[in-house]
Structure formats: structure tokens, C-alpha cells
């Protein structure tokens, strides 16, 4: 089995990730109990740490799926440790997504782990590796919205509720943006194995700019409005109101 080809240390959870989880837990507790003197600061730290956790899980899903599909090199590269510092572009994978959240409340996808595609056989496997990351965001969104669509909000403090709503918004936007069939994003990675060689060669030069292209589109007022109307509709279907996410966004931006 491919997993036997990875050393035990290659699969050990990184102390960096454990530290991020600890920050998420402590600030989540502070948000829930109202312990923090400034609730906005607690919400900011909780949502940011939880967002980084989701980014780590997103990249881990890519790497883990690649491992079971034939790329046994992901372990030696540190991708199975959930350490964000091991990613191909730590700046793109962590720093930029966090900045986009702070600036605009958008869960923009980050960089990527490097998968040695030549080791993988079968178009379905290639597609599944690309889909694994955004599907993790979908799962994370389902967990965040569970109290809403299960009608289990009784007893949940309002600040924690609003923080969960905003975190869910980030996960939904990340999933939608990641699934766009734009070169450089996971959505294109899903369909790429099924394209002709000629089409792939024509599209290849644009791959490094896919993320910037997606971000630029969101600056167009009409596209931005349509995009967030769609996000609101999805969240409403999950029981999360626009008021919940708005309050969460306001709490998150405690300095405003």
C-alpha cells in the first residue's frame, strides 16, 4: 500500500498545527463565555485561527488523496503533517487568504501543495485529487452551519453564533471560488484530465494568474453583487441569515 511508503514522522501532526488548533479552541471558548474584555478581538482571533485550520485541512485533503492515488512523495515533503509552513507557497497558502478575509470578508483560496502528477494513473484520480480540497471546505461549512439547519441555536451565545455564521460564509465562498473552472484553481484541475492535449497546452500559460483573475472579477460591482447574492441564497438554505453573517463580519472587524 502507498501509505506504507511514508515514514511515521512524515505523518505526525505538526506542533505548528496543534498550536493553531489551541488558539482556535481558546478564543472559541472566550467567544462562547464572553470572557474577553473586547469580544471583537476574540471573534477575530477565533475566526482567523479556524480559517487557517480549514486551509490546512484543504491542502491535507489534496495531499492525502494524492498519496492514496500513487504519489508517495507527499509524505517526505511534509504535506501530511498539516504544517502550513511546508506548503509550496506558504505566503499564497496562508498569508494572502487571511489578508483577503480581513480586507473583504472573502474566503479566497490560497496556494497549493505540489503533487507529482506523473506518478498518478487514471483521469478520475487526478480529478478527485483536485476536488478533495474544496470538498473539505464544503464539509467545514456543513459543520459550521449545523446548529442553524438543525435548529439547535438555543443556548448558543449570540457572539459565537455570529462568528460561526461568518466562518460559514468564508467556507462557502472558498468552495465556490475553488470550484471555478479557472486555470490555477481546483475547479480547472477537476476538468483538466478530460481536456485534449492541445487545449491544455493553450491554457497552461494562464495558470499562474488564475487566482488573481478570480480576485479581479470580484472587484467588478455587478459580478461582486451577483456572487454574494448567490452566497446569501446558499447560506439561507442552510438556515444562516444575512443578519447573522453581517453581525459576524462587524464583530470580526473590531477595529472599524
Amino acid at each position: 500500500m502507498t501509505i506504507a511508503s511514508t515514514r511515521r514522522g512524515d505523518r505526525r501532526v505538526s506542533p505548528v498545527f496543534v498550536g493553531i488548533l489551541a488558539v482556535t479552541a481558546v478564543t472559541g471558548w472566550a467567544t462562547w463565555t464572553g470572557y474577553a474584555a473586547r469580544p471583537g478581538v476574540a471573534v477575530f482571533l477565533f475566526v482567523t485561527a479556524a480559517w487557517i485550520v480549514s486551509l490546512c485541512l484543504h491542502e491535507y485533503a489534496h495531499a492525502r488523496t494524492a498519496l492514496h492515488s500513487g504519489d508517495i512523495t507527499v509524505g517526505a515533503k511534509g504535506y501530511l503533517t498539516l504544517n502550513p509552513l511546508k506548503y509550496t507557497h506558504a505566503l499564497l497558502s496562508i498569508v494572502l487568504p487571511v489578508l483577503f478575509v480581513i480586507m473583504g470578508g472573502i474566503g479566497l483560496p490560497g496556494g497549493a501543495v505540489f503533487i507529482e502528477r506523473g506518478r498518478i494513473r487514471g483521469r478520475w484520480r487526478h480529478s478527485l485529487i483536485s476536488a478533495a480540497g474544496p470538498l473539505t471546505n464544503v464539509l467545514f461549512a456543513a459543520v459550521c452551519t449545523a446548529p442553524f439547519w438543525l435548529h439547535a441555536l438555543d443556548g448558543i451565545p449570540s457572539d459565537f453564533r455570529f462568528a460561526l455564521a461568518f466562518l460559514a460564509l468564508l467556507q462557502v465562498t472558498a468552495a465556490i471560488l475553488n470550484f471555478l473552472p479557472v486555470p490555477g484553481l481546483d475547479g480547472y484541475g477537476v476538468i483538466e484530465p478530460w481536456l485534449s492535449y492541445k487545449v491544455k497546452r493553450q491554457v497552461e500559460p494562464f495558470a499562474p494568474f488564475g487566482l488573481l483573475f478570480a480576485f479581479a472579477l470580484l472587484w467588478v460591482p455587478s459580478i461582486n453583487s451577483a456572487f454574494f447574492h448567490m452566497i446569501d441564497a446558499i447560506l439561507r438554505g442552510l438556515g444562516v441569515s444575512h443578519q447573522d453573517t453581517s453581525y459576524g463580519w462587524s464583530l470580526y472587524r473590531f477595529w472599524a
Side-chain angles (χ1 to χ4, degrees):
M1 295 177 63
T2 55
I3 197 167
S5 300
T6 61
R7 297 174 300 177
R8 183 179 300 273
D10 293 338
R11 292 178 279 127
R12 185 177 295 118
V13 177
S14 164
V16 175
F17 183 74
V18 173
I20 298 169
L21 276 180
V23 173
T24 305
V26 170
T27 54
W29 169 81
T31 301
W32 180 283
T33 61
Y35 180 81
R38 299 182 64 186
V41 175
V43 169
F44 173 82
L45 293 174
F46 169 63
V47 171
T48 300
W51 172 235
I52 295 174
V53 167
S54 74
L55 292 173
C56 293
L57 292 174
H58 175 113
E59 303 298 347
Y60 175 83
H62 285 309
R64 191 77 186 192
T65 308
L67 173 67
H68 289 285
S69 298
D71 183 4
I72 60 175
T73 68
V74 295
K77 293 170 184 171
Y79 297 158
L80 302 179
T81 66
L82 290 160
N83 184 352
L85 301 180
K86 295 292 185 179
Y87 298 152
T88 307
H89 300 289
L91 177 66
L92 288 177
S93 296
I94 300 298
V95 178
L96 281 183
V98 170
L99 286 178
F100 285 133
V101 171
I102 293 173
M103 291 189 300
I106 300 172
L108 202 66
V113 293
F114 177 71
I115 306 299
E116 295 191 13
R117 295 280 182 169
R119 295 175 175 267
I120 298 162
R121 298 291 180 265
R123 291 182 291 184
W124 282 108
R125 289 181 177 179
H126 284 280
S127 294
L128 184 58
I129 290 169
S130 295
L135 286 175
T136 303
N137 294 111
V138 172
L139 180 60
F140 212 107
V143 171
C144 291
T145 57
F148 297 87
W149 50 265
L150 289 175
H151 306 290
L153 293 170
D154 291 343
I156 295 182
S158 58
D159 286 351
F160 192 83
R161 167 181 173 169
F162 300 145
L164 275 184
F166 180 55
L167 185 57
L169 180 145
L170 297 180
Q171 299 303 323
V172 172
T173 56
I176 297 297
L177 289 170
N178 262 297
F179 271 127
L180 290 176
V182 175
L185 298 181
D186 292 327
Y188 178 76
V190 173
I191 66 172
E192 183 184 28
W194 308 90
L195 300 176
S196 68
Y197 176 77
K198 180 180 179 180
V199 171
K200 287 189 283 189
R201 284 300 299 264
Q202 290 175 335
V203 171
E204 187 178 0
F206 300 99
F209 309 104
L211 184 63
L212 294 176
F213 175 73
F215 180 61
L217 279 180
L218 290 176
W219 280 95
V220 179
S222 59
I223 295 178
N224 184 281
S225 177
F227 176 76
F228 277 102
H229 277 310
M230 177 179 64
I231 298 300
D232 283 341
I234 293 172
L235 289 171
R236 282 198 306 271
L238 294 170
V240 183
S241 69
H242 179 71
Q243 185 180 40
D244 289 325
T245 55
S246 294
Y247 281 153
W249 171 232
S250 297
L251 277 172
Y252 183 81
R253 299 180 73 248
F254 66 92
W255 60 88

